[in-house]
Amino acid sequence: MKNSLQSKIENWLDERYDLSPIRKLITHKKVPLHKHSVWYYMGGAALFLFIIQVITGTMLLLYYKPGEESAYESVRFIITKVKFGWLIRNVHSWSANLMVFFVFLHMFSVFFMKAYKKPRELTWVTGFLLLGIAMGFGFSGYLLPWNELAFFATKVGTDIVGVIPIVGEEIKLMLRGGEDVTGATLSRFFGIHVAVMPAIFMMILGLHLFFVQKQGMHEPEGFSKLPDEKKKYIPFFPNFMLKDATLWLVIFALLSFLALYFPWELGPKADPFLPAPEGIKPEWYFLFTFQTLKYLPSHVLFMDGELFGILFFNVAGLIWMLIPFLAIKDRPGWKIQPMTVIGILVLIFMIAMTVLGFIT
Amino acid sequence: MALSRKKFLDILIGLGGFGSLAAFTYPIFSYLRPLPSTEAKVNTVKAGTASGFPPNSSQIIKFGRKPVILIKSESGEFSALEATCTHLDCIVQYKKDTKQILCACHNGIYDISGQNLSGPPPKPLQAYSVKVIDDEIVITTIVT
């Protein structure tokens, strides 16, 4: 009954819009089976968490009131008075963190499997942009409860932008909506977080997913060199998608556990006339940059230490984004390829700085 | 060299396109640029009584929209410094145990006169003049 109704609708649409290209796009993709196949699931996990972000974010919007005198109070209202408000906020905060985590995992797995290589250069670039926006989402959303930690994180984060030569001060002024971090900054961050970023994110995400669907899954070198009869695949739809859904359920269970047992603290309200509390730290995904800035002396070469640090991270980020276009060729005799070495060094640096940031 | 009709039109349309783009972006950027503050500039602030201020302690004072840290040393001398760290804009604090000023965001250390001692701060904290008139603490901007 249901199937016949489904096919009737499908036929009705097909007759008018010719669904064969869409059908082909969905069914043509197959997923290679090998020892590294598990990494294929990371992007889907990040996508699932993004969907949760959109749903819980929209729900929070119904009660949240931006403004120096209302933001903190409205978040407190959400978590103390609104039924299950605490749960929605906890899920939103935790899924944001998990999303960034899975995006990082996805990026490094793509890197080490060398899936960024021709013809998937733009999939890599759009993916990197999505990571950048995801971190921007984290940064802008962090301020919205207008608590002490958020206030200083935003002060530091926007001041960093001001360090950029020539245009930095102007961008900082526009981001803050004035000289200092005030209610004007909160309004701007709110607009950026709920309107500007979702719009840009959705467009780039659409492109990213289209590229993946169009080009199919990347096959690692070891797999693609196998004789055809030894290559094993499963269809993307529905087999892989169902496996994806299973992982989504596991992540959902983990998310529920974290949201229930590790509530996201609100902390004290922001006060521009109180000193930054000792031990203040940014979100874990900014910790490696934070820790590096801590170690830099006040002057490096001919410039301020902070300017050096910020230029370093920006240039490094740009190079990382353009990696598919950089001609570091594989060396046939080498056990570990140069790009893999670079990736390992980057990963070690990021993990070491993050751990140091946590323990010091 | 004669300019072809097509080339001429291309240039004309291109110029028009740039003109339109500028006409769109200028109001957008102007809109995004915050208005300059209309608040009156504060030059002097009274910060309570000197006798009521315990030695080896500090307080953050509102100097207009700016935070200023007022410190009374163990010997009873006052100093007032801009409380915004010269590194990345956090608000500093006075540490009673080390008798130094700390910025907790990136571990920047200044001495009691505002001189940057260690950590990332590139410049000293700007100093203010402090006078005690009839037991009342008066903080004033130093005109350079």
Side-chain angles (χ1 to χ4, degrees):
Chain A
M1 172 72 192
K2 196 182 164 199
N3 276 344
S4 73
L5 181 69
Q6 194 183 328
S7 59
K8 265 185 191 168
I9 295 171
E10 214 174 301
N11 287 339
W12 190 91
L13 287 168
D14 212 3
E15 218 175 284
R16 283 152 184 86
Y17 303 106
D18 181 20
L19 300 180
S20 53
I22 298 173
R23 212 172 283 130
K24 200 181 155 216
L25 192 71
I26 295 171
T27 54
H28 88 105
K29 201 165 89 172
K30 49 192 183 160
V31 181
L33 286 181
H34 49 79
K35 61 179 177 178
H36 298 302
S37 291
V38 63
W39 299 111
Y40 289 139
Y41 295 92
M42 300 304 128
L47 176 66
F48 169 65
L49 289 159
F50 176 69
I51 296 166
I52 293 188
Q53 286 289 284
V54 175
I55 296 168
T56 50
T58 312
M59 289 168 86
L60 290 171
L61 261 181
L62 303 181
Y63 291 99
Y64 177 75
K65 293 178 195 150
E68 227 168 328
E69 298 307 321
S70 55
Y72 182 84
E73 288 73 9
S74 66
V75 176
R76 198 171 52 190
F77 179 75
I78 290 171
I79 59 177
T80 56
K81 297 279 193 282
V82 179
K83 281 183 183 165
F84 294 106
W86 55 273
L87 182 64
I88 304 299
R89 177 174 182 253
N90 284 347
V91 169
H92 192 71
S93 303
W94 272 113
S95 59
N97 279 274
L98 286 178
M99 182 177 110
V100 175
F101 175 75
F102 276 102
V103 173
F104 267 113
L105 221 55
H106 180 44
M107 182 182 76
F108 277 107
S109 60
V110 165
F111 181 87
F112 287 117
M113 283 163 81
K114 300 202 171 69
Y116 56 80
K117 281 184 174 179
K118 189 183 172 187
R120 295 182 176 78
E121 298 95 329
L122 291 181
T123 320
W124 171 267
V125 172
T126 48
F128 181 84
L129 293 175
L130 289 174
L131 169 69
I133 303 173
M135 289 171 86
F137 263 125
F139 181 63
S140 55
Y142 199 57
L143 179 67
L144 301 186
W146 197 246
N147 57 21
E148 197 180 44
L149 284 179
F151 177 75
F152 285 108
T154 310
K155 255 175 127 35
V156 171
T158 47
D159 211 61
I160 282 176
V161 179
V163 173
I164 302 167
I166 309 167
V167 291
E169 268 304 312
E170 194 66 21
I171 301 175
K172 175 178 144 186
L173 205 66
M174 283 197 195
L175 273 176
R176 285 186 172 181
E179 291 285 333
D180 298 309
V181 173
T182 60
T185 321
L186 189 55
S187 302
R188 285 176 184 228
F189 272 46
F190 177 64
I192 290 170
H193 190 78
V194 306
V196 181
M197 280 193 177
I200 300 172
F201 194 89
M202 291 300 277
M203 280 191 280
I204 301 178
L205 180 63
L207 266 179
H208 188 75
L209 294 177
F210 175 72
F211 291 155
V212 175
Q213 200 60 33
K214 178 92 184 156
Q215 293 179 321
M217 295 305 219
H218 163 260
E219 296 178 3
E221 217 168 276
F223 182 88
S224 59
K225 279 181 182 164
L226 287 174
D228 278 352
E229 65 275 12
K230 284 201 169 171
K231 287 182 182 173
K232 282 185 190 161
Y233 296 94
I234 55 167
F236 177 78
F237 187 84
N239 302 43
F240 185 80
M241 260 191 84
L242 286 172
K243 287 187 168 199
D244 240 349
T246 315
L247 177 68
W248 292 14
L249 279 176
V250 173
I251 293 173
F252 193 67
L254 171 72
L255 184 60
S256 311
F257 169 76
L258 291 169
L260 288 170
Y261 290 98
F262 299 95
W264 216 262
E265 290 216 9
L266 181 57
K269 188 179 172 176
D271 184 343
F273 292 96
L274 277 184
E278 282 187 65
I280 185 169
K281 276 170 196 160
E283 292 277 70
W284 62 269
Y285 44 88
F286 290 120
L287 212 49
F288 73 98
T289 47
F290 168 85
Q291 196 62 21
T292 313
L293 285 181
K294 244 181 173 177
Y295 289 139
L296 283 175
S298 59
H299 291 91
V300 179
L301 303 172
F302 52 89
M303 54 182 121
D304 280 355
E306 51 181 347
L307 178 60
F308 177 82
I310 280 120
L311 282 178
F312 169 77
F313 280 118
N314 275 298
V315 171
L318 194 67
I319 293 174
W320 191 252
M321 183 175 88
L322 298 176
I323 263 177
F325 305 102
L326 298 176
I328 301 179
K329 285 189 182 134
D330 284 354
R331 309 285 155 105
W334 290 26
K335 250 189 166 177
I336 305 176
Q337 294 304 323
M339 288 307 275
T340 311
V341 175
I342 293 172
I344 292 171
L345 289 177
V346 169
L347 200 57
I348 290 174
F349 171 75
M350 287 172 71
I351 293 174
M353 282 296 172
T354 308
V355 171
L356 280 170
F358 265 114
I359 59 177
T360 54
Chain B
M1 197 181 79
L3 196 64
S4 73
R5 182 187 160 88
K6 184 180 180 307
K7 189 96 182 157
F8 174 74
L9 283 174
D10 277 352
I11 292 171
L12 204 66
I13 292 167
L15 283 175
F18 272 117
S20 310
L21 200 66
F24 296 144
T25 47
Y26 180 72
I28 293 173
F29 274 100
S30 306
Y31 180 86
L32 291 176
R33 207 168 191 283
L35 296 170
S37 171
T38 50
E39 275 178 48
K41 204 168 177 252
V42 177
N43 291 318
T44 302
V45 156
K46 288 177 183 169
T49 58
S51 54
F53 205 110
N56 195 27
S57 70
S58 72
Q59 203 182 329
I60 300 227
I61 311 288
K62 287 184 185 183
F63 202 87
R65 279 198 77 94
K66 280 185 185 172
V68 166
I69 186 162
L70 175 66
I71 304 164
K72 190 175 184 180
S73 68
E74 263 184 337
S75 56
E77 281 167 40
F78 281 101
S79 57
L81 304 158
E82 185 158 355
T84 309
C85 180
T86 56
H87 178 225
L88 289 174
D89 226 19
C90 282
I91 311 293
V92 297
Q93 57 185 290
Y94 175 66
K95 298 294 289 174
K96 289 178 180 181
D97 47 352
T98 57
K99 296 175 184 57
Q100 286 174 326
I101 298 165
L102 165 79
C103 175
C105 284
H106 298 94
N107 282 351
I109 311 269
Y110 303 86
D111 68 15
I112 203 166
S113 69
Q115 197 59 46
N116 45 329
L117 296 180
S118 66
K123 283 183 290 201
L125 296 169
Q126 190 199 321
Y128 287 75
S129 137
V130 190
K131 282 180 186 146
V132 178
I133 303 165
D134 296 333
D135 199 37
E136 189 161 53
I137 309 165
V138 181
I139 306 172
T140 320
T141 325
I142 298 174
V143 184
T144 48

